[in-house]
Amino acid sequence: MTTIDSTSALSQFDDLVTRGELFYTPSKPIILSDSGLDYDIRTIPSFAQKPLPSSTQTAQPSNRPPPTDGSDIDHSDPLFFVANINDTHKLILNKFCVYRPQYLLLTLDPLRRQTERLDEENVRAAWAVLAALDGEDGAGGDGGGKGIGGGQKHYAIYNGGKAGGSSRKHKHMQILARPSAEDGELELLPYREEGAQMEKLPICAFFSPLDTTSLLKLSPAEAGKVVYSVMEKQWKLAREALRTCRASQNQNKNLDKEGDGKKEVDREESEEANESVPHNVMLTRDWVITIPRRAATVEDKLKGHVVGCQGVLGSVWCAKKEQLEAWKEVGMGNVLRELGIPGKIKYC
């Protein structure tokens, strides 16, 4: 069983903020509505200091040398370290944060790349972290951001490929505290109005509820294996949706080649394994959702805003006020239809 001292991690977080090595400023959301779907949109000052996806700069404190192991994330600073997970991953504090605290779950192999789909090891590690942070009563409940016992619930996101909004090459997921209506926040989209808001999402997405009660009876490793089988099915559906979309637009299937340093995998379907499938994944202990992506931004309209998983699910994080105003000007739903595949939620 993975053990994470969240109280200690929070103290680490606050200390690093004080030192100026971790960037976080509390933010207030603006709630906008478009075609019945509510969007949480906010400006995050720390993002202005975040390296751009095209930059060779590493995500690290400026007084530390860059990694030499092939990673573009400084993952060796002991001040950011939280825990080792399953001998395959490490959990560290994120440097550029929206919430307090916020984590990165990185592969120990620094040559694993963000263009790969999530594999079983990745999902088992993410599930172990969620189980450790949420506790036994952290899943289920009333759908808000608090556990049955009052503790904070968490979720994981993955931005797959440049068109999926990834900003770093080293394969990682982000772990965040779930927003709570009790704290005046919009809940994650599938929890709003008992799922009714999710029906208004204007892009193709694949949603699967999880049998939380049954999963809680399994070890995190066993539960992670079950969840991976669900996510693999969603990924294949996302791949097929992108193939269909690309064929209809007469596009090359490999729009997002970024394979340098990619770990060799032993799969019979090697051609399919290397095919570009930019996508986003959001995982809680109640459900998982996968969104195929066509683009990371709307060129010449979003003022350089690269949009990850949160943005296509209605929670928009902007580095500058001009980007926030650009979303409002273009129209929230119009932006999403440019980033994803126009369509609707599909249950699987």
Side-chain angles (χ1 to χ4, degrees):
M1 175 73 74
T2 299
T3 302
I4 298 172
D5 187 342
S6 57
T7 301
S8 176
L10 188 59
S11 295
Q12 282 178 256
F13 182 95
D14 291 341
D15 182 58
L16 288 165
V17 172
T18 301
R19 290 167 176 258
E21 295 191 50
L22 189 156
F23 302 100
Y24 165 75
T25 303
S27 57
K28 292 284 187 179
I30 297 172
I31 308 302
L32 301 176
S33 184
D34 187 345
S35 300
L37 178 61
D38 292 332
Y39 294 80
D40 168 327
I41 183 167
R42 63 182 78 202
T43 303
I44 310 298
S46 67
F47 280 16
Q49 296 165 285
K50 189 174 182 179
L52 296 173
S54 59
S55 171
T56 57
Q57 179 186 350
T58 55
Q60 62 185 18
S62 58
N63 61 342
R64 288 178 55 82
T68 58
D69 57 4
S71 176
D72 59 347
I73 298 174
D74 180 15
H75 56 93
S76 61
D77 190 338
L79 295 177
F80 282 74
F81 176 80
V82 177
N84 285 316
I85 311 295
N86 294 352
D87 298 322
T88 58
H89 293 71
K90 70 167 64 172
L91 187 69
I92 66 175
L93 291 169
N94 199 339
K95 183 182 177 185
F96 305 95
C97 299
V98 179
Y99 297 112
R100 171 184 177 265
Q102 194 168 324
Y103 306 92
L104 292 181
L105 179 64
L106 299 135
T107 58
L108 289 181
D109 180 352
L111 298 182
R112 296 296 298 272
R113 289 295 177 248
Q114 201 72 2
T115 45
E116 302 173 37
R117 61 169 157 165
L118 294 171
D119 61 22
E120 187 175 325
E121 279 188 353
N122 304 143
V123 179
R124 285 169 52 200
W127 192 264
V129 171
L130 294 179
L133 290 173
D134 288 3
E136 286 305 309
D137 66 352
D142 60 4
K146 305 295 184 183
I148 295 172
Q152 184 69 57
K153 299 184 192 179
H154 296 77
Y155 67 104
I157 59 174
Y158 182 67
N159 297 324
K162 282 187 177 180
S166 66
S167 61
R168 298 289 95 193
K169 291 182 179 180
H170 187 160
K171 192 176 188 183
H172 67 279
M173 300 180 76
Q174 296 182 55
I175 310 292
L176 305 100
R178 274 173 41 187
S180 169
E182 295 177 15
D183 297 328
E185 302 271 353
L186 275 181
E187 295 173 349
L188 298 178
L189 185 56
Y191 290 120
R192 299 181 203 165
E193 300 176 10
E194 299 182 348
Q197 281 252 324
M198 189 167 58
E199 296 283 346
K200 299 168 184 176
L201 191 69
I203 56 174
C204 174
F206 301 97
F207 178 87
S208 299
L210 299 174
D211 186 350
T212 308
T213 301
S214 296
L215 290 171
L216 283 173
K217 296 176 182 177
L218 304 176
S219 69
E222 293 171 326
K225 187 172 184 177
V226 172
V227 174
Y228 170 70
S229 66
V230 176
M231 294 171 69
E232 185 178 34
K233 178 181 178 182
Q234 289 188 351
W235 182 87
K236 290 178 177 178
L237 290 169
R239 179 186 63 190
E240 189 58 35
L242 278 169
R243 284 177 172 176
T244 301
C245 180
R246 289 167 176 172
S248 69
Q249 296 178 357
N250 196 28
Q251 293 179 340
N252 187 297
K253 291 197 298 184
N254 296 302
L255 294 177
D256 180 27
K257 289 186 178 178
E258 193 181 39
D260 48 317
K262 181 176 179 180
K263 181 182 178 183
E264 291 297 324
V265 289
D266 181 15
R267 294 194 184 106
E268 292 181 3
E269 301 173 333
S270 59
E271 182 179 342
E272 292 184 351
N274 291 323
E275 182 183 351
S276 167
V277 184
H279 66 291
N280 301 120
V281 176
M282 183 179 286
L283 171 68
T284 74
R285 296 175 79 193
D286 298 322
W287 45 260
V288 60
I289 185 169
T290 298
I291 307 100
R293 291 288 298 273
R294 294 190 298 150
T297 189
V298 182
E299 295 294 341
D300 303 322
K301 293 183 180 179
L302 289 188
K303 309 294 183 182
H305 185 204
V306 174
V307 183
C309 182
Q310 292 291 130
V312 293
L313 286 175
S315 185
V316 181
W317 302 341
C318 300
K320 300 175 288 186
K321 185 177 180 181
E322 303 91 90
Q323 294 174 344
L324 186 153
E325 295 300 325
W327 271 82
K328 293 163 64 175
E329 182 178 344
V330 177
M332 313 299 284
N334 291 334
V335 171
L336 263 58
R337 282 183 281 268
E338 293 276 353
L339 301 176
I341 301 173
K344 59 186 296 185
I345 194 82
K346 297 179 182 179
Y347 298 88
C348 54

